[in-house]
Structure formats: C-alpha cells, structure tokens
Amino acid sequence: MNKFLLAAASVVLGTASVQAADLAAHYTKAPVMAPVYNWTGFYVGGNVGGQWGSANPATTTLFPVAAYFADSSVTAIGTVGAQHINSSGVTGGFTAGYNWQVNNAVLGLEGDINYFGFKGSASSTAVYPCCAPTTFTVNSSVSADWLATIRGRIGFLATPSWLIYATGGAAIAEVRGNFSFTDTFAGATESGAIRDTRVGWTAGVGGEYAVGNGWSLKAEYLYVDLGRSSMTSNNFNVGVALPAQTFTHSVDLKSNIVRVGVNYKFGGPVVARY
C-alpha cells in the first residue's frame, strides 16, 4: 500500500513539474506598431485638369458729344456691345503648401501657379436704327494665360489617410481684352485694349489620399471670379479725329476648374498605432 501511494505521488509531482515547465515556456509577443500618416509638414506637387468659363466684354459710348451718333445709335451700340464669350481648355501647374494636423482636423495654407489658357472672341454687327442700311460692328477678344491662387484649407480626416477639405482665398491673373468699333456710315473706327493683373477670389472643395512615404493624391474643384476691369478711349476717328467722343470697354472673367494632382510632403512626424 505504501509503495502504491509513493508511486501515485511521483506521477502527480512529475505531471505538475511538466505543466509548470510548459507554463514557463509560454510568452506573449508585444503588439506590432503600425505607422499612421501625419499630415503636418511642407509639401510640393503638381496638378493637371480642365477649365471652363466665361467672359462678358462690353463696349459703350456716350450720348452725342461730337455730333456724330444719334441717340438711338448710342443705345444700339451699348446693346450690341454687351457680348458673351465661352472658353474651355486644359490647365496644369505646380503647388506648394504647409499643413498642420490637430487631432482629426487639418489646417493648411496653399499656393499654386498654373497655365490657365482662357481665350475667346466675339463679333456683332447691327444696323444703325437711324440710318439704315448702314451698319456698325463691335469686336472683342479676351484671354488670360496664367492663374495663381493663394488659399487657406480646412479639412477633417475621414480616415487617417483620407482628407476631405474646403479651400478659399485670392485668385490672380493677367486679363487681356482687345476691342474695336467700325461702321459703314463714314468708315468710323475706334479701338481699346485692357492689360490688367486682376486680384479676385476663389473657393472650392477637394479630397486628398495619403498613399505612404510622404506621397498623396488629390482631386479638387475651384470656382474663380476675377471681377471686372475697364478702360476708356478717345481715339474715335471718322477721317478726322473726334477725341470728345468717349468709348468705354470692360470685361469680367469667371471660370470653373477641375483637376487632379500629386503631392510630396517633406519629413513630418509619424505616429505609432497599435
């Protein structure tokens, strides 16, 4: 009986020792830290897209000063001189900016300069109400080769890598307009030109996705309004100069821009996530 008890005790003690050894051999690995993109930092990039917009050039003259135009002719010139031009084309350029990430909010300041490619013209002819069948013609052309913007951005992170933002600020472009007036009554001529670096406004929305290693892809829409610019001329000529007859020319320019781009962010912290 004693021998049996000794044997049983030996088996129990041996089993406990093996279990203790097994328990000592087990361990838990520390969780792997996954890097999370942080948007804080300076970035540069490029973009390409399309623009479509319109300009509304206008030509008017004063009521008879030099005794050439009838009152009805002045009114008709203003009506015919109110023209409309549509333009569309490819746009693209370079971007630079800085972001500050605060929790799930991202604040930023961004600037860009782009090829704009706005260009169009209009021509209208009408009969003088007083003096049919003689006619007059108003020609207008409008262009803007480049566009720059300086904008603030404010957004939130839908995910750590996906930024949705609104943006707005100043839009700058050199707007050029060329105008001419001619008629068949006495071969009258007049012309004017506008060269004006306009400061208007822009606003839009966009989304940007971080693909890693500092790179991100974006898509955005901007609306641009450059306001109206005008000039006057006193070079009216009917074989002899009539400088008292003043013409006024003006133009506004508005555009919609849709573009995609790629940015590269320099440095900036990377936050660990378990």
Side-chain angles (χ1 to χ4, degrees):
M1 185 65 178
N2 291 336
K3 290 181 178 180
F4 175 77
L5 292 173
L6 286 171
S10 299
V11 171
V12 171
L13 291 172
T15 302
S17 299
V18 170
Q19 290 176 343
D22 289 342
L23 287 172
H26 285 260
Y27 61 92
T28 302
K29 293 178 65 177
V32 176
M33 293 185 296
V36 176
Y37 190 86
N38 188 283
W39 293 84
T40 297
F42 174 76
Y43 61 90
V44 296
N47 65 79
V48 64
Q51 68 83 15
W52 70 98
S54 63
N56 294 289
T59 294
T60 61
T61 190
L62 298 175
F63 280 93
V65 174
Y68 181 80
F69 292 118
D71 287 359
S72 60
S73 299
V74 172
T75 302
I77 290 168
T79 300
V80 172
Q83 299 176 328
H84 184 77
I85 294 172
N86 291 319
S87 173
S88 62
V90 175
T91 181
F94 302 97
T95 303
Y98 192 93
N99 284 325
W100 295 268
Q101 180 176 342
V102 182
N103 298 322
N104 287 330
V106 177
L107 308 176
L109 182 65
E110 183 173 277
D112 58 57
I113 185 164
N114 293 268
Y115 170 74
F116 194 28
F118 187 103
K119 187 175 183 179
S121 61
S123 180
S124 303
T125 299
V127 175
Y128 277 125
C130 68
C131 311
T134 59
T135 62
F136 66 92
T137 299
V138 178
N139 295 303
S140 306
S141 66
V142 181
S143 63
D145 292 336
W146 57 269
L147 173 71
T149 72
I150 303 172
R151 295 172 284 108
R153 298 203 312 173
I154 181 169
F156 70 93
L157 296 174
T159 72
S161 299
W162 182 246
L163 173 65
I164 307 297
Y165 63 87
T167 183
I172 307 159
E174 184 186 54
V175 177
R176 300 194 301 270
N178 289 287
F179 307 85
S180 67
F181 173 90
T182 59
D183 77 6
T184 60
F185 182 78
T189 62
E190 183 276 338
S191 63
I194 291 173
R195 298 288 186 277
D196 191 8
T197 300
R198 299 292 303 165
V199 178
W201 62 272
T202 180
V205 294
E208 190 167 353
Y209 184 76
V211 296
N213 296 321
W215 293 97
S216 61
L217 305 175
K218 75 173 184 179
E220 68 182 3
Y221 163 80
L222 295 175
Y223 177 77
V224 174
D225 187 339
L226 293 169
R228 180 167 288 274
S229 183
S230 63
M231 60 83 61
T232 59
S233 76
N234 294 91
N235 60 12
F236 187 63
N237 191 292
V238 290
V240 294
L242 297 176
Q245 189 69 52
T246 300
F247 275 72
T248 299
H249 304 288
S250 66
V251 64
D252 68 353
L253 194 157
K254 301 177 176 66
S255 184
N256 302 272
I257 299 172
V258 174
R259 60 192 184 186
V260 295
V262 57
N263 290 335
Y264 179 76
K265 180 174 70 71
F266 295 92
V270 175
V271 178
R273 181 181 65 183
Y274 291 92

